[in-house]
Amino acid sequence: MTDLTWWQRGIIYQVYPRSFQDSDGDGIGDLRGITQRLDHIVDLGADIVWISPIFPSPMKDFGYDISDYRGIDPMFGTLADFDAMIDAAHARGLRVLLDFVPSHTSDQHPWFVESRSARNSDKRDWYIWRDAGPDGGPPTNWISEFGPSTWAWDDQTQQYYLHIFLTEQPALNWRNPAVQAEMLDTMRFWYDRGVDGFRVDAITHAAPDVDKGDHPVNPDWHDGMNPSLRLLKVHSKNQPMNYDIVRMMRAVTQEYPDRLLLGETDGTLAEVTSYYGTQGDGFQLPFNFALLDIPWTVPEIVRTVEAYEAALPDTGWPTWVVGNHDCIRIASRVGSDLARVALTLLLTLRGTPTVYQGDELGMQSADIPPELVQDPWEKQVPGKGLGRDPARTPMPWDDSAQAGFTDGTPWLPVFTPPDGTVAGQAAGDTMLAYVKRLTALRQTTPALLSGEYRTISAADDLLVYARGSGDDAIIICLNFADAPRDPGLSGHTLLSSANAADGPLHPSEARLIRPT
Ligand code: GLC
């Protein structure tokens, strides 16, 4: 247990700052708000806070469109508020990860303003500009993540620029050494200010190779699917250069003692695990999104866990996640009854878990009326269930107005989950109280921190697996059925989501057992 590092032992907690806590009444969360609420994260038993972007931004993609990498957006506060937040977090033993967005800037970033000002501008090659194709249209058929073509026409300089996400998020040209130097220096700026690492955004899109031409059609695409999946992104995603970029980021990270890089690495199992690098030169934690996409059934979950365990490189430390600011809330996806089972799975698989803010309360994806929609993706591709507002509603803290999130009008409506607010769930048979007991057990149980994973049985909607071996072993029983199930094991119950002591598992119960 002692030979694990902080990011192997720890639980990551994702803060979506707009929706965590507002301190100044503008209806949008901010840094002082985060500082006020750090104790919630400590009480939960999490150790590492990842904060989605807080940098100056026109907020077209809510902070993932950055116009200054070295500042704080006034909406979120000041650099002094940031330093105070870091100090307060460190004083509580929490580590802090910032979101680093290397693959694109805002179109309002001074670099892009200069780049688009003239073809011979010094910064022209900081972005990806190309002439029109032979038919006068875009140079390639590529489709952006949020719907339309990845190419936007610039009237003044008569060329197209590439954007993988919104038109207002032009792609940076990482093939230009000046871009590399500047961006890597940005990491040093924040490391010097005391951050413990970065979650690296959209890394799979960092080195699109536009001169390779058109993307082939995806034969599996059909009407009703996400339009951006209509083509196979073979020339834009996971290009060989991506690994060079990660190596550069890791080298900068190694200039500082004990820092962490967590990468947003979506893709096949082979693609995800390739981001560990070969000799400790990749991400320490390439995000593993496998549990986000599968049907929520015992056979699919077992297959996913075993395939990932088998594919990990020898030195690769696993990592798991069941929710974030880009997808449906886990409690809505699996249903409220199974929310505790899902969080138990997340927190008892081998590896570093990331808990998305509010999932510890059983927050659900909210119904956002059309006139309140904020997310640009939903606005560009409406009605396909792609919008991300439902998972981004504010944290419900207590029984005061707007559940204690703000004194003003919240940017998205506040909803309280079935088990109640943070204050309301402090004690009793609630999701939050259960998750706290689970994290406390995890922190003090070597088998849960570092023990091997082994499937024991997976039948009849009942998943049983072991962590660790011998006297240390812990057995985890997850009942996905809405009927009782008997795991057929004898042992001492350490924790039950249904407060059961022994006997068959209750419907939708999660139980941790020390075998006898
Ligand atoms: C990542 C973020 C997402 C954002 C996108 C573009 O996928 O998680 O929220 O829209 O990158 O930066």
Side-chain angles (χ1 to χ4, degrees):
M1 185 155 131
T2 43
D3 55 357
L4 296 182
T5 66
W6 58 272
W7 51 266
Q8 292 173 316
R9 216 173 23 240
I11 295 171
I12 303 174
Y13 185 85
Q14 181 190 356
V15 166
Y16 191 69
R18 293 180 72 85
S19 296
F20 199 58
Q21 175 67 56
D22 178 23
S23 73
D24 61 6
D26 67 356
I28 296 170
D30 46 44
L31 286 170
R32 287 179 182 222
I34 296 174
T35 305
Q36 283 168 25
R37 295 296 188 183
L38 287 174
D39 286 335
H40 169 69
I41 301 170
V42 174
D43 290 349
L44 180 66
D47 318 83
I48 305 163
V49 189
W50 150 35
I51 305 175
S52 283
I54 47 177
F55 317 103
S57 163
M59 299 289 164
K60 295 288 181 197
D61 191 19
F62 297 117
Y64 285 96
D65 50 321
I66 296 171
S67 52
D68 173 6
Y69 283 91
R70 300 182 185 211
I72 300 292
D73 196 283
M75 181 182 281
F76 294 127
T78 62
L79 272 172
D81 295 331
F82 174 80
D83 292 340
M85 189 267 300
I86 290 273
D87 288 348
H90 286 167
R92 288 165 174 78
L94 294 169
R95 312 272 182 152
V96 179
L97 311 180
L98 289 188
D99 217 309
F100 184 51
V101 185
S103 77
H104 49 269
T105 69
S106 159
D107 64 344
Q108 301 304 306
H109 196 298
W111 303 337
F112 188 71
V113 173
E114 197 179 325
S115 182
R116 82 185 307 172
S117 67
R119 285 205 189 195
N120 63 0
S121 127
D122 277 355
K123 295 258 177 343
R124 187 67 169 180
D125 187 49
W126 280 45
Y127 295 85
I128 301 170
W129 293 93
R130 289 291 181 278
D131 291 335
D135 60 353
T140 67
N141 67 347
W142 297 8
I143 308 170
S144 70
E145 293 299 299
F146 295 148
S149 166
T150 51
W151 294 101
W153 179 248
D154 180 59
D155 243 353
Q156 191 186 322
T157 59
Q158 296 283 300
Q159 276 190 319
Y160 282 95
Y161 69 84
L162 184 80
H163 60 91
I164 298 288
F165 295 90
L166 296 173
T167 314
E168 295 89 347
Q169 291 170 299
L172 272 170
N173 178 16
W174 270 83
R175 290 185 164 76
N176 180 332
V179 169
Q180 296 169 9
E182 175 61 35
M183 292 301 282
L184 296 173
D185 233 28
T186 301
M187 299 180 87
R188 293 189 186 94
F189 174 86
W190 294 108
Y191 278 142
D192 288 337
R193 268 199 125 85
V195 313
D196 299 287
F198 293 97
R199 174 267 191 185
V200 180
D201 183 71
I203 189 66
T204 54
H205 299 279
D209 203 344
V210 292
D211 298 322
K212 284 200 175 145
D214 283 353
H215 280 158
V217 167
N218 174 4
D220 297 329
W221 189 86
H222 56 80
D223 241 6
M225 273 173 73
N226 175 353
S228 120
L229 302 179
R230 200 151 51 75
L231 303 178
L232 297 171
K233 299 166 190 171
V234 293
H235 304 317
S236 63
K237 285 191 82 177
N238 294 316
Q239 300 300 295
M241 168 95 190
N242 287 34
Y243 301 96
D244 300 333
I245 297 173
V246 175
R247 262 194 293 280
M248 292 178 218
M249 292 177 182
R250 181 67 185 271
V252 170
T253 300
Q254 299 298 113
E255 293 169 12
Y256 296 80
D258 220 13
R259 310 293 163 105
L260 171 69
L261 287 183
L262 167 72
E264 193 198 12
T265 47
D266 58 307
T268 63
L269 193 48
E271 283 165 345
V272 169
T273 53
S274 67
Y275 279 100
Y276 283 101
T278 43
Q279 287 138 12
D281 56 0
F283 291 126
Q284 289 107 319
L285 296 178
F287 253 127
N288 159 27
F289 296 118
L291 289 175
L292 294 181
D293 300 326
I294 55 168
W296 200 250
T297 65
V298 169
E300 282 292 334
I301 291 169
V302 171
R303 190 193 52 73
T304 301
V305 172
E306 290 183 348
Y308 178 69
E309 282 276 353
L312 281 170
D314 287 348
T315 54
W317 183 254
T319 181
W320 295 98
V321 63
V322 296
N324 61 39
H325 64 296
D326 290 330
C327 63
I328 180 175
R329 285 271 183 193
I330 185 71
S332 295
R333 180 165 153 234
V334 305
S336 283
D337 287 351
L338 282 175
R340 293 183 197 191
V341 165
L343 271 265
T344 308
L345 179 74
L346 172 69
L347 292 162
T348 61
L349 285 174
R350 191 173 75 91
T352 305
T354 300
V355 176
Y356 176 46
Q357 75 178 38
D359 281 350
E360 74 278 21
L361 305 175
M363 278 180 80
Q364 297 174 320
S365 285
D367 271 336
I368 307 292
E371 68 279 12
L372 294 182
V373 166
Q374 305 282 334
D375 183 22
W377 197 358
E378 179 66 29
K379 289 183 180 170
Q380 283 193 181
V381 190
K384 291 206 180 326
L386 297 171
R388 300 166 295 175
D389 294 332
R392 295 178 176 180
T393 61
M395 282 285 281
W397 294 102
D398 56 38
D399 286 344
S400 56
Q402 303 299 352
F405 167 69
T406 179
D407 293 337
T409 306
W411 76 288
L412 279 172
V414 179
F415 294 90
T416 298
D419 277 13
T421 62
V422 172
Q425 294 199 37
D429 177 25
T430 67
M431 175 95 184
L432 179 59
Y434 171 70
V435 176
K436 283 186 191 173
R437 291 201 296 275
L438 179 57
T439 58
L441 183 63
R442 180 189 155 97
Q443 270 164 351
T444 53
T445 307
L448 290 177
L449 292 172
S450 57
E452 295 296 295
Y453 166 91
R454 182 167 52 91
T455 307
I456 295 179
S457 64
D460 265 357
D461 297 328
L462 176 66
L463 172 57
V464 182
Y465 55 93
R467 294 289 315 284
S469 54
D471 290 349
D472 273 351
I474 302 278
I475 310 287
I476 296 103
C477 309
L478 304 177
N479 184 6
F480 289 66
D482 57 5
R485 287 286 185 271
D486 191 348
L489 296 164
S490 62
H492 167 64
T493 297
L494 299 172
L495 182 67
S496 155
S497 67
N499 297 311
D502 46 29
L505 264 76
H506 292 229
S508 309
E509 181 188 343
R511 193 183 294 178
L512 275 67
I513 295 172
R514 168 95 63 205
T516 48

